[in-house]
Amino acid sequence: CKVLDKTEYTKSMLEKLIWISAMMLVGAKHKVTVGEVESAHTAEVSRLITELASAGSAELGITLDEGCVERLLAYARSVAHFPTAVKEFSWRNGWFYGISKAKMDAGDADPMPFHTELLKEVGAI
């Protein structure tokens, strides 16, 4: 068992949350598996991963290591057969949407407009 310090744990936690949130949302939009998200919708999911990583990192006061998009796409290839769906919203995509909503409620711009657009498109919000 490898014990991580708080910062390293938080970075890993955020990347895992980004992966499940981005892959499931893009997959639900297109009604495809994780593997199809990675192979057929690479630009779209990469854009979403980048947006979630930026806002999530800012919210948590951390900096993710270089190569986040590549790591998450590589993991998607290893579980290509997984189905996709937006579920467990409150602790997956909902965490990111909460950041957006708080910013917009304060009169600021949505830090994740693409994420918000996709949530609306699939009927999650």
Side-chain angles (χ1 to χ4, degrees), residues 42-98:
T42 310
E44 185 175 19
V45 77
S46 296
R47 176 182 172 195
L48 182 57
I49 289 168
T50 300
E51 186 176 87
L52 298 178
S54 176
S57 294
E59 182 72 12
L60 296 173
I62 61 169
T63 301
L64 293 177
D65 296 335
E66 290 295 317
C68 175
V69 171
E70 294 78 12
R71 280 190 301 280
L72 299 185
L73 292 176
Y75 181 66
R77 289 189 293 275
S78 76
V79 292
H81 63 285
F82 281 16
T84 59
V86 175
K87 55 186 179 179
E88 300 173 348
F89 182 81
S90 62
W91 57 85
R92 288 183 181 177
N93 295 83
W95 183 77
F96 293 105
Y97 184 65

Side-chain angles (χ1 to χ4, degrees), residues 59 97-113 116:
E59 182 72 12
Y97 184 65
I99 296 167
S100 290
K101 187 162 178 358
K103 293 285 188 185
M104 291 184 294
D105 287 350
D108 296 325
D110 184 350
M112 294 171 278
T116 301

